[in-house]
Amino acid sequence: MTTLSPSGPVAGQRKVRRATMNDVARLAGVSIKTVSRVVNDEPGVHPSTAERVLAAIDQLGFRRNLSARNLRRGSSTGTIGLVLEDVGNPFYSGVTRAVEEIARLRGRQVISGSSDEDPGRERELALEFCSRRVDGLLIVPAGLQHSYLVPEMRAGTPVVFLDRPAGDVVADTVLVDNIGGTVEAVTHLASHGHRRIAFLGDAPDIFTANERLRGYREGCVRAGIGYHEELVAMGPHDESSVATTLQRLQSIREPATAVVAGNNRITVHILRALAGTAERPALVGFDDFELADLLSPPVTVIAHDASALGKAATDLLFARLDGDNSPPRRVVLPVRLVPRGSGEVHA
Amino acid sequence: MTTLSPSGPVAGQRKVRRATMNDVARLAGVSIKTVSRVVNDEPGVHPSTAERVLAAIDQLGFRRNLSARNLRRGSSTGTIGLVLEDVGNPFYSGVTRAVEEIARLRGRQVISGSSDEDPGRERELALEFCSRRVDGLLIVPAGLQHSYLVPEMRAGTPVVFLDRPAGDVVADTVLVDNIGGTVEAVTHLASHGHRRIAFLGDAPDIFTANERLRGYREGCVRAGIGYHEELVAMGPHDESSVATTLQRLQSIREPATAVVAGNNRITVHILRALAGTAERPALVGFDDFELADLLSPPVTVIAHDASALGKAATDLLFARLDGDNSPPRRVVLPVRLVPRGSGEVHA
DNA sequence: CTGGTCACGGACAGCGTTGTCAGCTCGAGG
DNA sequence: CCTCGAGCTGACAACGCTGTCCGTGACCAG
């Protein structure tokens, strides 16, 4: 890391007090209310007056204080809060982007934070956002306790849960068809002759992980290949534990010939563990990811759309803000199997 | 998309007025000031009084209004603004994550927005954040005009530019070593025998694209293979135009045997265009990306760390908030070439 | 010239909170 | 008994802005 000092003038000297409407009014020789009118494009100001005011605003670099405005007006702060698991995860950054997009169209700013799967952190973020009086809240739940939100909801802050349902409050929720997805994955693999299909999922206390496991089980039963405890591993999270698990699955008495991965990170860990291995099991991953089609073999996935999820949730939120007070809805977005090769390997 | 109605009680009835400190004070039988003291953990409140107040807070679901607090206190709003190009891009979502992380440690919330490379949008976002009186601003510049920030900087809002420098204000800036990176890429390819090395970059009005082009040129000269206009293409942005460009580069009189890609998106477009092609040029991409090591051949890249960029910029910002008023700094983060195979193909 | 309307500008209060400062009670010390 | 300080509590103003409401002067009809 190198550090260079620039030459030339420095833009900021030191701490000039910020101009207020009062300063603008004084400079323009009008009352503060007139400045307010100009700033808010209210009618009833003579053009020449308005011009003087605008000149003063420009000269002083005035920027109205939204804290004061929001306090006074009491209604909308023009912000919505987004609590997710990790912005760094491409799936959630896709969600974030979609949320931002729609919020922008509706003149709102997005405040977001990552819970890192920590319920305490989720709560902290959500309540912090409430203190800032966000107009609405989008939450990817980390925990199962959401009664802390009841006072906020009662006070009129709409809340939409996405990707996972809330634990103990009834509220709008947008999910993807987790069960249907893994059912389809197993069906697909079975139709290619696999009878020993393993499932590698996240910790089972995570809603999506559990649902996907249920789908896997149902898929196995439907395909007539039965559900076998020893083919399931929930929880392996990092690369090495995934590798170990894979080895085990391939060295048991009747080894797995195919694997269903419970989410995008697990899929990637599996791919890395498999790299350079001769004996590759067939693979179907939950969540699509960039470049899946360029790997060899290309990776078959259960795809669902991060931006569709974000959009559906945000649309729901804005419907509430627009006054929709019908009973809470639960929206389930479809998933689709994208066959690319890795799941079409014959047993 | 299916919609289900849940059973059970609905958490939020309708619009109860939000409790204020006054309500809490009345219920607890104390003055509003005492409530304030309890909420702010100020000393000098009798434990039993505090308990009464806390009970009232709980009963009413009181949550203090930060707009009012910020207005009254005038100092920090506990927020920092982040303007980037697109949160959906994994590179920037990595930056976002790092910023969030450090902000969290310092008790700040992050408000972010995507400019989509539109200078007007960048300005709008930055000024909106200023209206919200963010404590500091992190900006990935979309344009070259930043004098609009001068009043804000003068008023004491520190600004740090990242990834690209500002156009016309002198301020803290964190960059990566773009020139060094492409010099190294070209050197690497030349050392493997390539003499016809092409460069595919972003539009040349983007700072990083231009710098990388400069590095490419310098690398060519240093490697003694000369700079050839016809081997450079700036601007192709989508998959099809990249494919067309590649075809052209491979069908000219002395075809390119190697390509340097100007950023991660271009690298991916190239990979896709090349998929299934027999005659693959050697490739070095700027920006690392997930799974680059699992492609065949694995992709050699100029790697730099999104989180290092975010961290450096945020650290700089907080140093300013802590009172550092030394002259603006320009920090250049190193890049490193990660050889993986695609750049080691012999000509 | 008068009375009424209209366009414009301004005084004032108050949003929910916190900083200042003053008051009150209680017990120890004189 | 009074004094004094420590410990606790509260009254009040003010942060920057906007909604309400009133005042002023211009203009026009009668």
Side-chain angles (χ1 to χ4, degrees), chain A:
Chain A
M1 188 191 294
T2 54
T3 304
L4 304 172
S5 251
S7 59
V10 175
Q13 286 121 28
R14 212 47 342 212
K15 295 272 177 185
V16 180
R17 194 180 57 87
R18 219 173 246 283
T20 72
M21 279 195 179
N22 246 314
D23 302 323
V24 175
R26 205 172 313 123
L27 181 60
V30 298
S31 88
I32 181 180
K33 179 70 225 201
T34 299
V35 177
S36 170
R37 277 198 265 261
V38 172
V39 168
N40 292 293
D41 277 325
E42 282 172 33
V45 178
H46 193 92
S48 72
T49 310
E51 201 167 332
R52 263 194 354 267
V53 171
L54 287 173
I57 286 176
D58 215 55
Q59 185 180 332
L60 295 174
F62 167 78
R63 183 104 24 227
R64 84 156 163 246
N65 184 328
L66 281 181
S67 285
R69 172 175 225 253
N70 293 334
L71 176 59
R72 175 63 237 242
R73 314 225 323 171
S75 52
S76 159
T77 58
T79 53
I80 65 179
L82 172 62
V83 180
L84 25 77
E85 196 223 309
D86 175 12
V87 233
N89 182 322
F91 180 72
Y92 291 113
S93 74
V95 171
T96 305
R97 186 62 216 266
V99 172
E100 208 180 73
E101 206 65 31
I102 296 177
R104 168 166 140 69
L105 292 174
R106 305 290 300 260
R108 298 312 205 281
Q109 227 63 52
V110 177
I111 316 181
S112 65
S114 303
S115 72
D116 277 319
E117 216 66 274
D118 171 358
R121 177 80 187 128
E122 171 212 302
R123 180 191 157 118
E124 204 176 287
L125 282 167
L127 289 181
E128 164 81 24
F129 294 164
C130 288
S131 280
R132 295 192 185 280
R133 297 293 185 269
V134 291
D135 298 337
L137 222 35
L138 293 168
I139 302 182
V140 176
L144 294 169
Q145 305 275 322
H146 293 91
S147 49
Y148 69 87
L149 284 169
V150 170
E152 311 303 327
M153 296 169 77
R154 222 192 283 285
T157 306
V159 179
V160 176
F161 294 94
L162 59 165
D163 200 39
R164 308 168 191 171
D168 48 5
V169 299
V170 179
D172 292 320
T173 308
V174 181
L175 306 171
V176 300
D177 185 7
N178 293 293
I179 296 184
T182 38
V183 165
E184 199 173 344
V186 171
T187 307
H188 181 77
L189 288 166
S191 78
H192 283 271
H194 292 281
R195 306 196 57 78
R196 297 289 289 173
I197 303 171
F199 180 74
L200 259 72
D202 232 325
D205 56 326
I206 297 177
F207 172 81
T208 50
N210 201 37
E211 291 282 287
R212 290 169 193 180
L213 172 61
R214 282 179 53 196
Y216 160 79
R217 189 177 310 189
E218 186 175 327
C220 287
V221 172
R222 278 203 219 167
I225 58 177
Y227 171 72
H228 306 285
E229 198 71 61
E230 80 269 19
L231 290 176
V232 172
M234 303 296 279
H237 213 82
D238 53 50
E239 200 171 320
S240 71
S241 60
V242 166
T244 312
T245 305
L246 269 184
Q247 279 173 358
R248 181 176 66 71
L249 289 168
Q250 292 184 279
S251 60
I252 52 180
R253 201 161 49 80
E254 292 183 78
T257 62
V259 180
V260 176
N263 67 39
N264 56 359
R265 276 168 315 194
I266 293 176
T267 307
V268 170
H269 290 324
I270 291 177
L271 289 170
R272 217 156 252 142
L274 252 38
T277 316
E279 198 77 1
R280 295 183 75 126
L283 173 65
V284 176
F286 213 108
D287 300 331
D288 200 358
F289 55 95
E290 180 154 38
L291 300 178
D293 56 325
L294 290 183
L295 296 168
S296 52
V299 180
T300 297
V301 297
I302 306 299
H304 56 116
D305 194 352
S307 49
L309 187 65
K311 180 174 176 352
T314 314
D315 283 344
L316 214 41
L317 190 72
F318 276 110
R320 297 302 180 186
L321 289 175
D322 290 343
D324 174 357
N325 54 7
S326 56
R329 274 194 283 262
R330 171 180 286 228
V331 176
V332 178
L333 299 177
V335 300
R336 66 179 205 291
L337 186 131
V338 181
R340 292 206 178 105
S342 73
E344 290 75 47
V345 185
H346 291 261

